[in-house]
Amino acid sequence: MKYLQQLMQNLEKEAGSHTHDIFNYALPQSWNLFGFSKTRTLRNKEILVNPYDFYLYSFQHLFYDAKGKMKKAVPLATTGWLKKACIYSVHIRSLAAWDHDRDDSLKENLYGLKDNGTFLKAILLLPFYQRMGINTILLHQPFALGKTEKAHDYAQKECVVDFQSIDEELKDPLVPQMSALEQCIAFIEACHHLGFHVILEYCPGKISIDHIYQKEHPEFFYWIKKEALSSYHAPISYGLPQNTLPFSYSLKDFYRSDDVKTHISQFVFADDACDKVIAPAFSDQINASLPIDSDATYFRFYTDFHLHVPSELQKTSAPFLTQDTIRCDLHPAKKPNSDLWNALNENISWYQSELDIDGIYLEKPYLLPEKLQKEMARNAKKQKKGFVMIAEDTVHENSELWKRKGFDAISGNSAYEETQIKDYKFHTFAYQLRGNACPMFAASEFYDSRRCSCLEDGKTLTNMLSIMNLFLPNGIPMYMNGIESYEVQPLQLSEYGDQSYLTSLPKEDRRYFRQPYVDRYYYNYTSSDLNVLPSLMEKANQIRKEYIDVMHKGQCCIPIWFDSPRDAGIGFTYMKEDKALMVICNTNVHESVHLHIHTENMWKELPFTYNSILQIYSTNDPYIHDVYLDQAQNIPLDFEPGEIKFIELKTESSS
């Protein structure tokens, strides 16, 4: 806890120096988790405080007991913890952002402090996530980002300029003595002290076009003639359909295209003396009809050409960036760019030794060679016991492949499937999970998707999916920034997404058309609904803890069936030796339904004879009720829209 204690000492010193300063520093009442009393309350659910006194008081109550001694740290499991994880996705820049000086801007602050999120302010919100049952933080790109040529405040989070340099934007001037790196470590130490594991997002496949490696290692990149930049575009192959994936069968037609040949002629060797620039990135799909990504580029992972490049081009061309060379997971060459591979592996070792993280979320792994993917997993797990590797992959059938590569879980496709309730895609996802080769995220939304709350009956839908995701077999519940305040603006909408979601907020809202992961943005911490979902999750997670040990064991899970596959019901029974839990969900968020719960298969598999059946909780009714069987020993129940019921069967000895 070296850096956390250092943060506390420096904050105490700074508070003493600013005790008589006058501040009109505003923050949401909801941030006052420990009852700081020296406040002035505003009508809009904000309070005015001396920030030094407020944060010092809050952290003292969070980390120290009444005698001034640091509280004991919550023990962290070193094995098997990922299957018990409940993950919250953290993007520091927006997570703890607020217009503290009330000047209608998050860019400058009248007090020389910061309105954007910082590590120090993010520590303050950790108890709020604890209450929700969160036990794992997924930390998105805290590293320095390159400049952006787009109409945003920040480059997209993949555009890292230095994999070992923490962004100075995230350093809080409340403790000026500590560097951005030291404050980052203090945040991770705070997470560990409170019982959170920390997983770090790592995206070495797509990086900033200004990446520092170019200074010492120009051979890591693809270069084009400087004069070619103005006309540079993703090459078009008119013989192929739009959005063609670069599989082998498409490449012959691709290389026949005159536009592709012109594109290739623009490239030069890294050591060429002519004026040159790094080639900007574009989509990994052929004929995607998308503009180039002027902020980003890709690494050159091999020093030779792969076999699909025509022989005449291999003899005459400089290394060039096209759809097939982007996808070196599909089309590897033979000679690895060894220094680059070593550097990317070394970054993970640095994260383990310097930041003390507990896992890596590998974003866009399809942009990496398969051999490098395996190397990363193998080397990372040698360094730290219980270290986990998660791959971003939306194709659940690939889970067996990633397991063989040494990965522990994949992101999965739930964020794009679950909200399609009317098409029964949530049903399909939920029931398929049980047979998956490795766990997958169970999430109603993702950083590049639309927000769940912006859809029809969005709050009911968000509540239903958020709670049900806690109880899916082989699923790892994962929640995005702002879900608790029912945010509707997408975090960083994919170019393939429906752009109408960017206008989910009304025009009069200052955040209209803005995206939290690329724009200065604050979440609605003054929302009157702020405690609704956390309260539901708090109770649901208490129940989940009792059954978490059996939820990932296939033999302990019995799927629940209804009268018809078209019924608006999803359910599972989790069995222990002397009791069992039935979790049943009405997926219709618009209407009440009557569900007839079939129990034939459950009675055959229960390892005990039940003595009582009680509804112990419902998302619409917190009271305990008796549950009755019909003449066929099945359970008929009425559900409110989106309601989830928890029914427990017990033996006399467990009652």
Side-chain angles (χ1 to χ4, degrees):
M1 296 295 112
K2 172 184 175 182
Y3 291 100
L4 179 58
Q5 290 178 326
Q6 186 178 329
L7 182 145
M8 291 294 298
Q9 291 166 359
N10 287 325
L11 187 56
E12 186 173 12
K13 177 182 176 182
E14 291 299 313
S17 302
H18 294 87
T19 188
H20 298 299
D21 292 359
I22 297 174
F23 289 95
N24 285 310
Y25 182 94
L27 45 79
Q29 287 181 6
S30 59
W31 289 15
N32 191 8
L33 299 172
F34 299 97
F36 182 69
S37 60
K38 297 178 183 178
T39 68
R40 200 171 93 214
T41 304
L42 305 179
R43 292 181 180 178
N44 61 351
K45 297 186 179 179
E46 287 182 305
I47 54 176
L48 298 181
V49 300
N50 178 319
Y52 296 92
D53 290 345
F54 173 79
Y55 291 111
L56 178 62
Y57 174 92
S58 299
F59 292 165
Q60 284 174 335
H61 281 71
L62 179 58
F63 296 112
Y64 291 87
D65 60 22
K67 296 181 180 179
K69 292 185 177 180
M70 182 166 273
K71 298 175 184 176
K72 289 185 178 179
V74 177
L76 282 173
T78 55
T79 58
W81 60 267
L82 184 60
K83 290 185 176 181
K84 300 179 182 180
C86 184
I87 300 175
Y88 191 85
S89 168
V90 165
H91 183 259
I92 297 290
R93 292 175 186 84
S94 56
L95 177 79
W98 197 255
D99 183 10
H100 297 297
D101 57 1
R102 298 180 293 161
D103 65 350
D104 293 333
S105 169
L106 297 181
K107 195 168 185 179
E108 302 293 339
N109 184 282
L110 298 176
Y111 307 109
L113 303 177
K114 285 186 176 176
D115 287 344
N116 64 270
T118 65
F119 292 111
L120 183 146
K121 291 192 287 181
I123 292 173
L124 181 69
L125 298 177
L126 291 176
F128 189 71
Y129 306 132
Q130 267 186 321
R131 179 193 167 197
M132 294 168 65
I134 302 299
N135 58 21
T136 304
I137 296 298
L138 171 55
L139 184 58
H140 286 290
Q141 303 295 19
F143 308 107
L145 300 177
K147 62 180 183 293
T148 179
E149 295 185 17
K150 300 177 183 178
H152 296 292
D153 297 310
Y154 308 115
Q156 56 192 320
K157 63 183 178 61
E158 297 87 358
C159 292
V160 170
V161 76
D162 185 347
F163 289 122
Q164 295 186 19
S165 176
I166 304 299
D167 189 357
E168 288 295 320
E169 277 267 306
L170 308 181
K171 172 185 172 179
D172 203 305
L174 286 165
V175 281
Q177 305 91 337
M178 296 181 70
S179 67
L181 173 60
E182 291 169 334
Q183 292 190 25
C184 176
I185 298 173
F187 171 77
I188 295 172
E189 287 180 350
C191 290
H192 285 161
H193 190 81
L194 296 173
F196 296 91
H197 285 97
V198 179
I199 299 170
L200 179 68
E201 180 186 41
Y202 184 38
C203 184
K206 185 177 182 181
I207 36 88
S208 171
I209 205 161
D210 302 315
H211 200 283
I212 63 163
Y213 283 175
Q214 65 175 284
K215 297 176 182 177
E216 294 184 9
H217 296 283
E219 72 279 6
F220 288 0
F221 301 88
Y222 296 98
W223 298 84
I224 60 171
K225 302 169 187 174
K226 193 171 185 179
E227 65 266 22
L229 187 60
S230 60
S231 60
Y232 181 84
H233 62 276
I236 301 168
S237 178
Y238 294 103
L240 293 170
Q242 191 173 12
N243 295 328
T244 297
L245 290 171
F247 293 125
S248 301
Y249 65 81
S250 64
L251 297 183
K252 191 171 183 179
D253 285 333
F254 177 75
Y255 281 111
R256 287 174 177 166
S257 167
D258 289 337
D259 194 55
V260 171
K261 293 175 183 177
T262 301
H263 172 82
I264 291 171
S265 69
Q266 298 172 328
F267 284 78
V268 295
F269 290 95
D271 56 359
D272 197 299
C274 73
D275 286 341
K276 58 186 182 294
V277 293
I278 288 179
F282 46 78
S283 173
D284 66 307
Q285 297 183 24
I286 301 170
N287 299 340
S289 298
L290 294 171
I292 63 167
D293 189 346
S294 54
D295 294 343
T297 191
Y298 303 116
F299 282 128
R300 182 184 169 211
F301 286 104
Y302 291 96
T303 59
D304 60 336
F305 295 99
H306 64 79
L307 62 87
H308 294 290
V309 176
S311 57
E312 64 272 17
L313 291 177
Q314 295 190 33
K315 295 175 183 176
T316 60
S317 300
F320 56 86
L321 187 160
T322 58
Q323 276 86 344
D324 56 325
T325 55
I326 292 171
R327 291 300 300 267
C328 48
D329 63 329
L330 298 176
H331 312 294
K334 294 182 179 179
K335 298 177 182 178
N337 203 336
S338 299
D339 288 345
L340 173 60
W341 290 32
N342 292 339
L344 298 181
N345 272 301
E346 173 56 33
N347 288 330
I348 297 179
S349 298
W350 188 84
Y351 301 147
Q352 292 174 322
S353 61
E354 296 298 316
L355 304 184
D356 194 24
I357 59 166
D358 307 297
I360 285 289
Y361 173 68
L362 189 62
E363 190 188 354
K364 292 181 170 52
Y366 54 84
L367 297 174
L368 307 179
E370 186 173 4
K371 285 186 178 179
L372 179 56
Q373 297 167 2
K374 293 177 179 177
E375 268 188 27
M376 286 180 170
R378 183 172 60 251
N379 293 339
K381 294 190 174 189
K382 284 180 182 177
Q383 304 293 326
K384 185 174 181 180
K385 185 179 180 181
F387 196 82
V388 301
M389 295 290 291
I390 304 171
E392 180 188 21
D393 192 323
T394 58
V395 181
H396 72 88
E397 291 89 352
N398 289 344
S399 57
E400 178 62 45
L401 175 64
W402 286 106
K403 187 177 180 181
R404 290 200 300 268
K405 292 178 184 179
F407 285 72
D408 302 279
I410 64 172
S411 61
N413 59 346
S414 63
Y416 315 98
E417 299 285 312
E418 288 193 354
T419 55
Q420 299 184 53
I421 300 296
K422 293 179 181 177
D423 298 331
Y424 294 89
K425 290 189 176 182
F426 183 33
H427 291 66
T428 302
F429 172 79
Y431 286 114
Q432 279 181 340
L433 257 181
R434 182 167 172 255
N436 234 47
C438 70
M440 295 197 316
F441 285 166
S444 61
E445 55 191 18
F446 211 51
Y447 73 87
D448 61 351
S449 74
R450 77 285 167 276
R451 299 304 298 250
C452 187
S453 295
C454 76
L455 303 174
E456 185 181 3
D457 288 315
K459 290 183 180 179
T460 303
L461 181 64
T462 298
N463 291 342
M464 183 268 287
L465 293 174
S466 297
I467 301 304
M468 198 61 197
N469 281 336
L470 289 166
F471 295 92
L472 297 184
N474 221 16
I476 302 172
M478 200 273 285
Y479 304 91
M480 301 307 299
N481 288 166
I483 193 170
E484 66 279 2
S485 53
Y486 301 106
E487 295 293 334
V488 294
Q489 282 295 112
L491 296 166
Q492 181 183 322
L493 187 65
S494 165
E495 58 267 15
Y496 294 99
D498 185 342
Q499 300 302 299
S500 67
Y501 290 126
L502 293 175
T503 58
S504 294
L505 282 172
K507 284 187 177 181
E508 57 269 20
D509 194 302
R510 284 184 290 164
R511 302 169 300 160
Y512 173 78
F513 208 72
R514 300 178 73 77
Q515 302 172 75
Y517 280 15
V518 288
D519 296 311
R520 295 186 184 275
Y521 194 96
Y522 62 91
Y523 298 119
N524 188 9
Y525 289 111
T526 60
S527 167
S528 58
D529 293 326
L530 185 62
N531 283 304
V532 174
L533 182 57
S535 295
L536 294 174
M537 290 182 63
E538 182 178 21
K539 179 60 179 179
N541 268 294
Q542 290 171 1
I543 298 171
R544 184 175 184 256
K545 282 181 182 178
E546 289 191 46
Y547 289 88
I548 190 65
D549 288 331
V550 298
M551 284 178 58
H552 290 274
K553 296 178 181 178
Q555 70 273 21
C556 297
C557 172
I558 307 171
I560 291 174
W561 307 116
F562 305 89
D563 287 343
S564 164
R566 292 291 176 178
D567 283 353
I570 291 174
F572 299 93
T573 300
Y574 295 105
M575 302 179 296
K576 300 180 80 169
E577 290 184 1
D578 59 349
K579 61 181 179 179
L581 177 72
M582 301 176 70
V583 184
I584 306 141
C585 166
N586 170 21
T587 61
N588 189 330
V589 297
H590 313 299
E591 298 173 336
S592 300
V593 301
H594 178 81
L595 292 175
H596 195 221
I597 300 153
H598 287 246
T599 58
E600 301 95 322
N601 57 336
M602 184 177 71
W603 302 134
K604 294 176 184 177
E605 297 189 45
L606 278 182
F608 59 86
T609 301
Y610 73 91
N611 176 257
S612 66
I613 307 179
L614 294 174
Q615 177 180 303
I616 59 172
Y617 182 66
S618 156
T619 51
N620 287 61
D621 178 5
Y623 299 104
I624 297 174
H625 301 281
D626 288 317
V627 174
Y628 300 98
L629 307 180
D630 63 16
Q631 292 180 341
Q633 298 294 293
N634 294 321
I635 303 175
L637 285 175
D638 293 320
F639 288 76
E640 294 298 313
E643 182 180 7
I644 301 171
K645 293 180 183 288
F646 298 85
I647 298 171
E648 196 165 56
L649 297 88
K650 287 186 176 182
T651 65
E652 190 170 358
S653 61
S654 64
S655 298

